[in-house]
């Protein structure tokens, strides 16, 4: 029995059947030829053993486009340090260098119509009464007080006082004093045996060169240049390495010392021979003697004012040694007597050590004391060129006297006001700093300086920064009785707060006087190191090396011989 299929479906099935019967079968596809392989990095085909038709070479790959030239990476700029300021401990030399007034004397000489000789160097200080010690006000013509003598002037015999201090130091270390008798044999000057007091007196009073050489051999090269001539003694850059007088003999120098026999208080001892020291000093070439006027006056100051100075600024000198030295300095060749007496209006006592060498320079370093008004005392060190003439010394001696007189007159006209320099004493004074820049310039060197005396007895604080007085800026008030009382109470207190903008980074000296009325109760001098975050600053602190003046390298330190 036939199934009944609907007509539309039946027509579609018949159409599909007719199409499959009429369409031809697809041709048979040949099997593909295997493609040869390529070895990596070579491009050669691994062909089979039987010969095969080679495939058509593939198109060479397009070369990559050259990379753009890379610019060198700029070096990363170091990030600036934060702006800061701190109070550090500096030496007496550095404080004096920063505190010295370099303008007043030149202005005073112009007003007095006094003309300095060409090529002159001058340093002066007024000795005033301080707190438990003398205080000093230092002055200089420009920077001549700290000008290093190498290439500028020859110190000649002014350095012989340093040799005396060095010889006494060495003898003291070996248990002897100024009353000792010494025996030594040195090149050129020959054999010598005699009392040390005679050597000191001739070296300072008569300025004899053989006695200076003997003192240097007794002291020893290393002791002189590393112990005596040091930052602690106010002479960080002085170098003594040349012997004086006699013919130039090869090997005759101060770098080695012979054996020295010493007799003191009935005992005999021997200072062993010291080997040659080969350390060189680049800042003082040609085996010379180099110093500055400030360092020369520093030895005069520490010897003549020994009893008044604090212990940290005294040389190791006995009472008898000081008496011998002071007597010799008082009787030495004088260069400033007429000029000093004229300026003071009274006879003057002068303790000095002069030096001269025709063709080079004429110098003097002295302490001048008024015999009537003994509170008037001055330290003066000066140098003028000394040329060959028929009457050597007459012209330059007149110049030295005129310079001394003009300097003392100028300092007397200056008065005693202003900042002074001494070691800290009296009521403790605290100095703190805090960065307070304006909003539009966060790296400005603006700091709040807070000065506080730790005593309620203090009512007035006087302060100077780089010799400029520090004062509080106050708004004007109505001049009422109540307002005047408030201003008076505010002015008399033991604290001072000031906002100050520093003009440059580096070292700045601040001097503070704390007083009650006219009575001074405390003193402090400190160095403020301002760091702008960019400049390279010298290390600061109690153990830091001395900071040299501009263009002067630090003095190398000798190592003890092994």
């Amino acid at each position: 029995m036939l199934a009944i299929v609907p007509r539309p479906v039946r027509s579609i099935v018949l159409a599909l059947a007719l199409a499959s019967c009429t369409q031809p079968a697809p041709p048979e596809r040949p099997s593909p030829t295997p493609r040869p392989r390529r070895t990596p990095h070579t491009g050669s085909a691994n062909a089979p053993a039987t010969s095969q038709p080679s495939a058509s070479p593939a198109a060479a790959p397009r070369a990559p486009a050259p990379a753009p030239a890379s610019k060198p990476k700029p070096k990363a700029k170091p990030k600036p340090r934060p702006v800061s300021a701190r109070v550090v401990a500096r030496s007496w030399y550095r404080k004096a260098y920063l505190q010295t007034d370099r303008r007043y004397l030149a202005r005073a000489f112009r007003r007095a119509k006094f003309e300095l000789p060409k090529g002159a160097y001058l340093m002066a200080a007024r000795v005033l009464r301080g707190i438990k010690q003398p205080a000093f006000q230092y002055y200089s013509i420009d920077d001549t007080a700290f000008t290093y003598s190498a290439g500028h002037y020859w110190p000649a015999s002014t350095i012989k006082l340093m040799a005396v201090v060095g010889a006494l130091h060495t003898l003291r270390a070996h248990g002897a004093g100024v009353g000792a008798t010494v025996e030594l044999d040195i090149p050129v000057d020959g054999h010598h045996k005699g009392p040390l007091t005679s050597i000191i007196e001739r070296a300072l009073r008569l300025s004899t060169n053989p006695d200076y050489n003997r003192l240097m051999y007794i002291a020893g090269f290393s002791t002189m240049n590393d112990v005596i001539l040091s930052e602690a003694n106010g002479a960080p850059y002085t170098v003594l390495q040349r012997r004086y007088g006699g013919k130039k003999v090869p090997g005759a120098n101060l770098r080695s010392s012979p054996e020295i026999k010493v007799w003191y208080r009935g005992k005999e001892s021997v200072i062993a021979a010291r080997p040659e020291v080969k350390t060189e000093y680049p800042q003082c070439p040609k085996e010379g003697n180099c110093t500055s006027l400030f360092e020369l006056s520093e030895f005069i100051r520490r010897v003549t004012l020994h009893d008044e100075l604090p212990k940290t600024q005294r040389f190791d000198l006995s009472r008898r040694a000081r008496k011998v030295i002071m007597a010799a300095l008082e009787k030495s060749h004088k260069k400033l007597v007429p000029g000093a007496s004229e300026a003071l209006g009274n006879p003057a006592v002068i303790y000095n050590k002069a030096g001269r060498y025709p063709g080079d320079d004429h110098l003097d370093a002295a302490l001048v004391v008024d015999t009537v008004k003994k509170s008037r005392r001055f330290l003066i060190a000066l140098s003028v060129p000394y040329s060959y003439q028929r009457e050597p010394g007459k012209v330059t001696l007149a110049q030295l006297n005129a310079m001394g007189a003009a300097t003392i007159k100028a300092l007397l006209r200056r008065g005693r006001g202003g900042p002074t320099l001494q070691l800290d004493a009296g009521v403790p004074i605290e100095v703190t700093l805090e960065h307070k820049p304006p909003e539009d310039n966060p790296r400005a060197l603006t700091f709040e300086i807070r000065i506080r005396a730790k005593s309620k007895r203090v009512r007035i604080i006087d302060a100077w920064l780089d010799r400029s007085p520090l004062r509080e800026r106050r708004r004007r008030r109505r001049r009422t009785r109540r307002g005047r009382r408030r201003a008076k109470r505010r002015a008399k207190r033991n604290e001072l707060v000031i906002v100050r903008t520093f003009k440059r980074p580096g070292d700045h000296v601040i001097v503070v006087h704390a007083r009650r009325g006219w009575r001074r109760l405390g003193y402090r001098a400190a160095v403020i190191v301002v760091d702008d975050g960019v400049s390279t600053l010298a290390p600061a602190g109690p153990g830091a090396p001395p900071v040299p003046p501009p263009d002067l390298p630090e003095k190398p330190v000798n190592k003890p011989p092994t």
Side-chain angles (χ1 to χ4, degrees), residues 381-398:
L382 60 173
S383 169
V384 294
Y386 186 17
S387 60
Y388 287 104
Q389 297 177 7
R390 289 186 178 181
E391 296 179 336
K394 295 295 180 64
V395 174
T396 55
L397 185 59

Side-chain angles (χ1 to χ4, degrees), residues 24 53 101 123 168 241 298 313 315 487 514 526 541 561:
D101 189 334
M123 188 232 72
L168 290 172
Q241 52 188 349
E298 190 65 10
Q313 288 198 333
F315 292 125

Side-chain angles (χ1 to χ4, degrees), residues 328-371:
L329 292 177
E330 187 178 0
K331 297 177 182 178
S332 64
H333 297 295
K334 302 301 176 189
K335 309 296 180 184
L336 304 175
V337 172
S341 299
E342 174 196 352
L344 294 172
N346 299 314
V349 176
I350 298 179
Y351 304 93
N352 74 305
K353 184 67 197 82
R356 65 176 183 175
Y357 191 82
D360 284 323
D361 300 277
H362 204 158
L363 308 93
D364 202 358
L367 172 69
V368 181
V369 181
D370 190 330
T371 57

